[in-house]
Amino acid sequence: MPYDLITIPCLSDNYAYLLRDHDSGEVAVIDVPEAGPILKELENRGWSATQVWLTHHHWDHIDGLPDLLAVHPAKVVGGKADAHRLPKLDQAVSEGDTVSLGALEAQVLDVSGHTIGHIALYVPKASLAFTADSLMALGCGRLFEGTPAQMWDSMQKLMALPADTTICSGHEYTASNAKFALTVDPANAALISRSNDIQAARDKGLPTVPSKLSTELETNPFLRPADPGIRATLGMQDATDAAVFKEIRKRKDSF
């Protein structure tokens, strides 16, 4: 394996990630909800952060950056469309751009919906996608700025990645997402099994992220608006996928 991936719990329910390229020893920090746990992990491993990749401007993804940079003066990468409300960027990127971390290369995707200008970073050599608050474990981010159509477009971009891609999302919302998912996809045996596994993990204080895209495709209702069972439950057998997605998001908002 040419890389290390470390998942770091932050705040009450956030996650940051460390991605380390073996060849160069370069380390990227993906989102900085708070500096303390990230600095501790870097120190324990004897690593230096050389880059920070910011997915979007919300405070619980960027607030720890000044304290992190005070110890590790890393290059900061973020979305060009979000640059006016992100911390100062050393590299502003848009969809189609790439970010190099030693021998690893991350492809930038625009996954607007939760916010406008939200980016995801897909690292093909590592089969990783850092999706933050776009595609989440058994869910997707609430639409604070974008439209359902924008978020469905973003979901389709992520659905098109290889099924073995590991989805590194930004929050520990999976247990509540599972409870909602069962209301719109109640007969899905894979979802029922996953929901039980999630509860068992949380009972032990274990994280439920990252997750595999293949698992999300089987169980995440926000990726499954074409599913006949979900359509029947919603009474939307003849609707477009976009309309079904919009209804699922609407129901989750009031769940």
Side-chain angles (χ1 to χ4, degrees), residues 99-153:
V99 181
S100 295
L101 183 78
L104 299 175
E105 197 167 75
Q107 301 171 1
V108 178
L109 300 173
D110 182 326
V111 289
S112 292
H114 178 66
T115 63
I116 301 299
H118 193 309
I119 62 170
L121 297 118
Y122 169 56
V123 187
K125 281 187 180 178
S127 296
L128 295 171
F130 297 96
T131 60
D133 296 1
S134 56
L135 175 57
M136 308 178 84
L138 271 181
C140 75
R142 187 179 289 266
L143 304 181
F144 287 116
E145 296 175 9
T147 65
Q150 284 176 308
M151 186 61 113
W152 175 232
D153 184 59

Side-chain angles (χ1 to χ4, degrees), residues 15-220:
Y15 288 109
Y17 297 90
L18 301 180
L19 176 63
R20 179 178 177 269
D21 169 56
H22 282 187
D23 290 350
S24 63
E26 283 201 58
V27 178
V29 180
I30 297 86
D31 286 340
V32 194
E34 61 176 332
I38 298 170
L39 290 170
K40 184 177 180 181
E41 193 70 45
L42 289 165
E43 183 179 4
N44 287 346
R45 293 176 178 275
W47 295 353
S48 294
T50 55
Q51 297 184 36
V52 176
W53 300 348
L54 301 176
T55 60
H56 65 296
H57 71 273
H58 282 164
W59 70 269
D60 59 336
H61 293 258
I62 65 172
D63 264 17
L65 184 62
D67 289 341
L68 175 67
L69 293 179
V71 182
H72 298 270
K75 180 175 83 170
V76 180
V77 180
K80 186 175 182 179
D82 219 11
H84 61 290
R85 49 190 185 174
L86 285 170
K88 184 177 182 298
L89 300 177
D90 299 302
Q91 184 179 356
V93 295
S94 302
E95 180 161 286
D97 291 341
T98 58
V99 181
S100 295
L101 183 78
L104 299 175
E105 197 167 75
Q107 301 171 1
V108 178
L109 300 173
D110 182 326
V111 289
S112 292
H114 178 66
T115 63
I116 301 299
H118 193 309
I119 62 170
L121 297 118
Y122 169 56
V123 187
K125 281 187 180 178
S127 296
L128 295 171
F130 297 96
T131 60
D133 296 1
S134 56
L135 175 57
M136 308 178 84
L138 271 181
C140 75
R142 187 179 289 266
L143 304 181
F144 287 116
E145 296 175 9
T147 65
Q150 284 176 308
M151 186 61 113
W152 175 232
D153 184 59
S154 296
M155 292 299 101
Q156 291 177 89
K157 292 178 187 180
L158 296 167
M159 290 166 70
L161 297 177
D164 66 349
T165 302
T166 297
I167 302 297
C168 301
S169 54
H171 288 274
E172 186 56 67
Y173 292 165
T174 322
S176 59
N177 286 346
K179 290 175 183 175
F180 169 74
L182 287 165
T183 69
V184 296
D185 198 10
N188 184 337
L191 173 59
I192 294 166
S193 176
R194 185 181 182 190
S195 180
N196 292 334
D197 291 344
I198 287 163
Q199 195 55 57
R202 294 311 294 156
D203 287 346
K204 297 176 183 175
L206 299 174
T208 62
V209 301
S211 58
K212 288 289 185 184
L213 179 58
S214 56
T215 303
E216 298 304 328
L217 291 168
E218 288 182 337
T219 56
N220 186 332

